[in-house]
Amino acid sequence: MSVSLDGYALRLHDVAAVADDAAPVSLAPAARARMQQSRGIVEALAAKGEAVYGVTTGFGKLSDIAIPAERLAQLQLNLVRSHAAGVGPRLEERFVRAMMLLRANCLAKGFSGARPELVELLCAMLNARLWPDVPEQGSVGASGDLAPLAHLALALVGEGMLNHPGGRGEAKAVLAQYGLAPVALGPKEGLALINGTQAHSAIAALAVLEARRIWETAHTAGAMTLEALLGTPTAFDARIHDVRGQRGQQESARRFLGLLEGSEIRESHRSDDPRVQDAYGLRCMPQVHGPVLQAIEFAESLIAPELNAATDNPLVFDDGTMLSGGNFHGQAAAMALDVLAIAMTNLAVMSERRTDRLTHPDLNEGLPPFLTPTAGVSSGFMMAQVTAAALTSECKVLAHPASVDTIPTDGSKEDVVPMAMGAALKLRRILHNVRHVLAVELMCAAQGLEYRRPLKSGPGVERVFGAVRARVPALSDDRVLGPDIESLAEGLRLGEFA
């Protein structure tokens, strides 16, 4: 697929297509015309010498300082250089590509007053697989993600380092290698490049999509575990969930019933099972997984509009006015990211508890201790459960909300900031952890099903069992489990078990 940027129609799946699959990107003709119109307004105001924030004045606390006409170009370049103050590890390529795409789409909307050439250079860089070094740390999410976006803007003016398929080099030289040239910034264009929410929104967009894959996999893993532990699907009866009326819970129960339908394992213990009900980790899966779905939907409702948002300050309108506001403030995405962090942590908690029941010799319904046929000589999946416990505990720490915190910046001109980038980075870590926690459960649940053979589960669970076995063989003797967990986590990221 290809993605045409017009500032209005970008979707979450478009972001993933560009970030992960290198879908080609272009500027829509109508958007180019809008950009040229708003650029004309900026140039006219700059020529008049009127006091317009960020065009003929300084920035932030320095906005009351007028800048002479002969220094307007230097003003914009200085802005980019001075704000490229990020530190820490570099963001992965996929997140930088998503950030480049979102910033290009924001400019294409036509309220930034930037020339089309800036978007066309961003598109050309994306299409050539060029991406700048962007440090993770240094943004509080208002006035936008200034530091990360400034590191991105550096590449457009030919400064900083630029990565490419063949390696890494100085931006100006790499651009020339691919037949591209840096831009010379005009009035407002430095500000247009760095003033916005696109760094944390890029992580958020990809996180929402991954959260859905994780949610779906939590059901397949849970269903496999239920079968391996000879659990009952009675608790998923639609009548139970209909009388509560929680939509997410109803959908979750429906998925479990579908996965378990036609199970020979269930029929084998239906008549002589002395248990009235299962433990909460099995019985209450819909009651926990269901609200997670609605949390994902809530997060998506706040994050999806950011893909097509005008987040500059000031904004340029077609009647010739420029208005200063606060669309760069990242509270909406920050809150969504915090909610996702809490929701995903709950999935990890449930999954780890199910893994414990699979491996615990007093709780696993006749399965061998730690799922190994030679317990004592072998430890089986003992340490796999410990790994899941460690990751789950870390998720609980990271689930503390970032969006309720603030430290005034810029001489207290920016007195309330949302810490949106911090919320994005810790959610990214939580998603990594939950993938691996579920990978451990998938590995253990598949091993548990081996001991129920020749009986088979329902077709839905059997399909996932086959997908697990395509990556990880059954355990007979102790082996190094880390690579198995990593392989299953990668399969989960790719949606193989959803």
Side-chain angles (χ1 to χ4, degrees):
M1 61 178 293
S2 61
V3 177
S4 178
L5 301 180
D6 65 1
Y8 291 89
L10 197 65
R11 303 165 300 172
L12 289 167
H13 290 286
D14 297 328
V15 178
V18 173
D20 294 325
D21 302 324
V25 186
S26 61
L27 175 62
R32 195 178 206 285
R34 286 197 305 272
M35 291 187 70
Q36 288 174 326
Q37 181 181 354
S38 69
R39 183 63 196 166
I41 294 170
V42 170
E43 291 176 347
L45 289 171
K48 291 179 182 178
E50 295 181 7
V52 179
Y53 173 74
V55 179
T56 58
T57 75
F59 309 98
K61 188 71 171 176
L62 305 176
S63 60
D64 57 349
I65 299 178
I67 309 298
E70 66 273 14
R71 305 202 66 184
L72 293 183
Q74 188 65 44
L75 171 72
Q76 299 300 316
L77 184 58
N78 284 351
L79 175 71
V80 171
R81 287 172 173 166
S82 66
H83 283 57
V87 297
R90 274 38 183 170
L91 281 172
E92 298 170 39
E93 177 188 359
R94 64 193 299 259
F95 296 121
V96 178
R97 287 180 60 81
M99 181 172 68
M100 294 167 67
L101 177 73
L102 295 186
R103 195 63 208 158
N105 194 54
C106 177
L107 298 178
K109 198 172 182 74
F111 294 92
S112 303
R115 288 168 295 160
E117 287 79 1
L118 272 66
V119 174
E120 289 168 342
L121 179 54
L122 282 168
C123 290
M125 291 168 63
L126 284 167
N127 293 339
R129 296 296 295 265
L130 311 181
W131 76 97
D133 282 348
V134 178
E136 291 183 353
Q137 297 168 295
S139 172
V140 296
S143 294
D145 297 309
L146 293 171
L149 288 169
H151 283 275
L152 169 58
L154 275 180
L156 298 185
V157 300
E159 299 186 10
M161 301 299 290
L162 200 54
N163 301 278
H164 59 96
R168 180 171 174 269
E170 295 184 357
K172 188 174 183 179
V174 173
L175 288 173
Q177 180 182 339
Y178 285 84
L180 303 173
V183 295
L185 299 176
K188 196 185 180 294
E189 289 187 325
L191 185 61
L193 285 170
I194 74 169
N195 198 204
T197 63
Q198 284 69 43
H200 66 256
S201 293
I203 297 174
L206 296 174
V208 167
L209 294 173
E210 182 167 2
R212 281 192 176 272
R213 288 194 295 272
I214 287 174
W215 183 81
E216 291 169 357
T217 305
H219 287 79
T220 57
M224 285 179 68
T225 296
L226 185 89
E227 290 282 71
L229 293 174
L230 304 180
T232 172
T234 300
F236 310 141
D237 190 302
R239 291 169 291 184
I240 294 172
H241 306 283
D242 288 346
V243 297
R244 190 175 195 185
Q246 290 284 357
R247 180 177 56 80
Q249 178 179 323
Q250 292 168 313
E251 171 61 18
S252 179
R254 184 189 67 79
R255 283 175 178 256
F256 279 119
L257 285 178
L259 286 163
L260 297 165
E261 185 178 1
S263 168
E264 295 175 357
I265 295 175
R266 167 56 179 159
E267 293 306 316
S268 71
H269 63 93
R270 181 188 292 273
S271 60
D272 59 352
D273 192 339
R275 294 169 300 169
V276 177
Q277 53 192 13
D278 292 314
Y280 286 2
L282 299 174
R283 188 187 354 150
C284 296
M285 287 190 288
Q287 284 82 358
V288 177
H289 291 203
V292 172
L293 172 62
Q294 291 178 267
I296 294 170
E297 292 172 343
F298 164 76
E300 184 174 337
S301 73
L302 289 178
I303 292 167
E306 288 295 292
L307 309 186
N308 298 291
T311 56
D312 294 16
N313 181 50
L315 293 167
V316 183
F317 293 90
D318 56 12
D319 62 359
T321 59
M322 292 184 67
L323 299 177
S324 287
N327 279 0
F328 49 69
H329 200 286
Q331 191 69 33
M335 290 177 61
L337 290 161
D338 281 342
V339 168
L340 272 182
I342 293 169
M344 292 293 105
T345 296
N346 276 283
L347 289 185
V349 168
M350 291 290 281
S351 176
E352 185 279 326
R353 289 292 79 201
R354 294 192 297 263
T355 294
D356 179 66
R357 298 194 79 83
L358 284 164
T359 57
H360 197 311
D362 297 333
L363 302 174
N364 64 3
E365 299 302 328
L367 296 173
F370 304 106
L371 300 172
T372 175
T374 55
V377 174
S378 300
S379 296
F381 292 113
M382 179 190 295
M383 285 306 299
Q385 185 268 327
V386 174
T387 296
L391 294 173
T392 300
S393 183
E394 183 179 305
C395 288
K396 295 173 186 177
V397 174
L398 294 171
H400 179 83
S403 60
V404 296
D405 186 29
T406 183
I407 296 178
T409 60
D410 189 25
S412 286
K413 185 79 169 184
E414 300 160 3
D415 56 340
V416 182
V417 296
M419 302 300 179
M421 193 63 175
L425 293 174
K426 68 187 186 67
L427 174 61
R428 184 188 61 174
R429 178 73 173 185
I430 286 173
L431 292 173
H432 169 275
N433 288 352
V434 180
R435 280 200 308 272
H436 288 76
V437 171
L438 282 167
V440 170
E441 184 185 1
L442 287 166
M443 182 173 66
C444 292
Q447 184 75 9
L449 289 180
E450 299 281 2
Y451 293 106
R452 305 305 182 190
R453 296 309 192 208
L455 297 175
K456 288 190 174 184
S457 185
V461 169
E462 289 295 326
R463 184 198 66 78
V464 179
F465 173 83
V468 171
R469 282 289 169 260
R471 283 186 171 267
V472 173
L475 186 71
S476 53
D477 298 310
D478 276 356
R479 63 172 183 258
V480 178
L481 295 177
D484 290 348
I485 298 170
E486 293 285 3
S487 178
L488 290 171
E490 177 62 11
L492 195 157
R493 188 186 71 80
L494 297 173
E496 293 176 8
F497 314 119

